[in-house]
Amino acid sequence: MSIAEIFNSMSYGPAPESETAARNWLAAHKGKFGLFIDGGWTKPRSNSWFESQNPARGEKLADIAAANDKDVGAAVAAARAAQKDWLAVGGHGRARHLYGLARTLQRNARLLAVLEALDNGKPLRETRDIDIPLVARHFYHHAGWAQLQEQEFAGFEPMGVIGQIIPWNFPLLMLAWKIAPAIAGGNTVVLKPAEYTSLTALCFAEICKDAGLPPGVVNIITGDGTTGDALVRHPDVDKIAFTGSTEVGRHIRKVTAGSGKHLTLELGGKSPFIVFDDADLDSAVEGVVDAIWFNQGEVCCAGSRLLVQEGIFDKLISKLRARMENLRLGDPLDKSIDMGAIVAPVQLAAIKNLVKKGTDEGAEIWQPSWAVPKEGCFYPPTLFTNVAPAATIAQEEIFGPVIVAMTFRTPDEAIRIANNTRYGLAASVWSENINLALDVAPKLDCGVVWINSTNLFDAACGFGGNRESGYGREGGHEGMLEVIKPKFLAKLPDYQTAAKAPGKRDATPSPLVSLDRTAKLYIGGKQARPDSGYSLPVFSAKDVKIGEVGDGNRKDIRNAVEAAGKAVGWTTTSSHARAQVLYYIAENLDARKDEFAKRLVETTGVTSKKALAEVDASIRRLFSYGAWADKYESRVHSPPMRGVTLAMKEAIGTLGIICPDENPLLSLISLAAPALAMGNRIVLVASETHPLSATDFYQVLETSDVPGGVFNIITGNRDLLARTLAEHDDVKSVWYFGPKSGSELVEAASAGNMKRTWVNNGKARNWFDMEQGEGREFLRHSTQIKNIWIPYGD
């Protein structure tokens, strides 16, 4: 083609990147890699290896070690041995190391970019311009958190040894997301990269050594799912951080239940890309390209559901097809291509199967006229129209370059369709009306919303999902809180169960009890008899029967959750209004102080002085959360872009709370008040041993302007009710404070819809202690953070 013809057509010619440096690096290792443990390379004890292949050409790149459980044990032991000295380096010392890693990464940026493109199949243009710069950014950013740790996170300590498992779609970037905050906080790590894409992680291990990182701080073990499972199950790992499929995340939740391991899960997604009729359609089309064909659609937050306002649907689809026709697919090392190769044949087959499912269910498929390369794992950009919201391809994560388009008429309908999925990772909203965009964004049930943009990431802005997209955040201030823990937790004593369980004593009423009293449940703002028709005896501290409470069951929980679901007005009301209600509850409790103190003396056997102190502490706690209601506020980040990111603290929704037996009034208030202050509606299971403080308390609620359904109280068998709450799909989070076995029960049962949990792992808190019983820890568990990206300017 002549120069004149090139200028006439303006078509791109090939612009290949040299792969010499990457090939030389592979050759220097003789195409075979061991495990990186305790600062050096070791042969796998399994004596087993697997191939890493270039998906664009189907060629072998290297042999990778397959670690077994003994290799995992050696890596964990190295991390444990190194952790104390790494913590002793101090915040400034760790900051210098992270800064050094960032600088070394930048010096090796080109090598890493080429190696990532070879191993993963993604375009070099993306690895060079997006992935590797963000990797360095994460280490720079978290060097800052290490420097500021003593000031900004006073009272916290590292979790210890963190096991990390990352996926194959962003191999080095996910590594940076995991390792940078972990080691900044004083932890040591054992990281397992994806089986398909281990090479850049192994190159990073070499960079750690060259940069002078102390041995054992970072350990890299390679292998398949059995290696990851061994890491998850290892008893000396304090936390697991996992990014991958929802199915594997569910398995990890069940395996770690009751182990005391902290868990963050960043799982699958089916993110909506919402286009309103006032949007700039040309910009929206480019947004779609970035949303679903970036990294061949192998992105957990890919905008794979295109929701278009009905009046502009045909026009937008026409523009989108024209743009698809001009996308370029080919060799990932060609700098002029838009899409590279699918990571592996098995993933390509999975995409094809779901596409066939879509056509079988009646959706209309459209693909560009050009052919994909015959060699390698390639799949063309694909558009489905005439798709029902409940169709398989509209509900299941395809994890490939496939988008499904649907229409909506009103903003409310768009929100309903957007939220009609089990996932909740991200969303994009396109509109020239910023009022509309900012009205829609908080109503989307997801962790990240991009306005007139998509797939924006930064180390300062937390990332993570809701529902079956997982829980926990990575990046920013909230990401640091996922790798450190309050220091007092290590000193808590074991939870002590009651010496005599309710229902096992002599239930004959005392002759001193002249009036039989059976306390009802409290559901939807009303006293309600239990569905079971049965009641349970309640005994005093002297083993005298003093009354009965309802024996709540699954249907009672269902009714309470339904009532809480209808009380959404509490969540949307102003924080000032919620504060006034909390103050009013405190006022009415204070008016009945002597009555509640007498009940505590009767049921728990404490002295009158201690009982009054518990009631006073409960009143103070209500005042504290009345004060916090309008002061635990959102943050505004300034990432390196023309715009801001609003880290909005939102109520979780319907929250289940299982109360402990100790300090039955104070512990109840300490758990319920922060949840209410942040706008949650709660279903609370009262102390099994001392439930009457809770049933007396609903009389205070009835006179304190608490809307019906906001605060529901169930009595009965603690663990049976806890299991029901943990299994309920409409309960978004469960807090459990009780025996250790109950913590395991709740964590295992929560895996059904991957809800958040907060459990005490069989440890008892001093509810009178301000550090243990009140403050930001409780507020943090009462909220979820949604990062809303708001670009501005022409």
Side-chain angles (χ1 to χ4, degrees), residues 223-251:
D224 59 13
T226 59
T227 305
D229 192 56
L231 181 59
V232 167
R233 294 176 185 273
H234 197 288
D236 203 27
V237 172
D238 300 297
K239 171 192 165 80
I240 293 293
F242 172 77
T243 297
S245 71
T246 296
E247 289 69 26
V248 176
R250 205 184 315 278
H251 169 76

Side-chain angles (χ1 to χ4, degrees), residues 291-523:
I292 188 60
W293 297 308
F294 169 60
N295 200 33
Q296 300 75 248
E298 297 171 322
V299 184
C300 54
C301 54
S304 55
R305 290 186 298 148
L306 176 59
L307 311 183
V308 185
Q309 201 152 17
E310 197 171 77
I312 60 166
F313 182 79
D314 291 341
K315 186 176 182 180
L316 181 69
I317 294 301
S318 176
K319 286 177 174 286
L320 184 58
R321 287 174 175 171
R323 184 68 177 87
M324 292 170 67
E325 191 67 40
N326 288 289
L327 289 174
R328 294 170 59 89
L329 185 150
D331 183 357
L333 291 181
D334 184 344
K335 295 187 283 289
S336 68
I337 63 130
D338 298 299
M339 293 173 56
I342 303 301
V343 71
V346 64
Q347 180 60 23
L348 180 61
I351 294 168
K352 290 179 177 179
N353 286 338
L354 280 168
V355 167
K356 183 178 184 302
K357 182 77 170 176
T359 56
D360 290 346
E361 291 182 355
E364 297 175 7
I365 188 173
W366 191 92
Q367 294 173 333
S369 61
W370 42 263
V372 302
K374 294 181 179 180
E375 182 186 22
C377 298
F378 291 94
Y379 197 80
T382 301
L383 168 66
F384 274 107
T385 54
N386 192 31
V387 179
T392 300
I393 56 173
Q395 291 293 322
E396 295 301 320
E397 185 177 36
I398 299 174
F399 222 66
V402 182
I403 191 168
V404 299
M406 295 169 278
T407 62
F408 66 88
R409 293 182 178 180
T410 66
D412 285 345
E413 185 182 6
I415 292 163
R416 287 196 297 272
I417 296 174
N419 290 336
N420 181 34
T421 173
R422 60 194 175 104
Y423 298 109
L425 190 53
S428 292
V429 179
W430 292 75
S431 171
E432 291 298 287
N433 183 345
I434 193 65
N435 292 326
L436 173 62
L438 289 177
D439 180 56
V440 169
K443 298 174 183 177
L444 299 172
D445 194 352
C446 58
V448 180
V449 178
W450 295 291
I451 293 177
N452 293 327
S453 55
T454 193
N455 279 337
L456 298 178
F457 310 99
D458 185 64
C461 307
F463 183 88
N466 305 341
R467 297 186 287 173
E468 292 194 31
S469 289
Y471 46 79
R473 296 293 183 262
E474 294 183 300
H477 184 272
E478 58 263 41
M480 283 299 296
L481 288 169
E482 300 286 0
V483 297
I484 54 179
K485 62 182 180 181
K487 291 181 178 178
F488 71 80
L489 290 178
K491 301 176 183 178
L492 293 180
D494 290 338
Y495 185 91
Q496 300 297 318
T497 56
K500 298 179 181 179
K504 299 299 184 182
R505 304 159 178 160
D506 182 2
T508 304
S510 165
L512 299 177
V513 180
S514 59
L515 185 65
D516 179 49
R517 181 195 171 202
T518 300
K520 299 182 178 68
L521 312 179
Y522 188 65
I523 298 174

Side-chain angles (χ1 to χ4, degrees), residues 95-136:
R96 292 175 68 93
H97 277 290
L98 268 80
Y99 174 79
L101 282 172
R103 294 288 289 159
T104 309
L105 284 162
Q106 287 180 318
R107 286 197 299 273
N108 290 276
R110 203 69 169 194
L111 167 63
L112 292 166
V114 173
L115 196 59
E116 195 83 300
L118 282 172
D119 200 27
N120 172 273
K122 63 171 61 183
L124 177 79
R125 190 163 53 87
E126 293 177 6
T127 64
R128 178 196 64 196
D129 298 342
I130 299 173
D131 292 21
I132 308 306
L134 273 174
V135 169

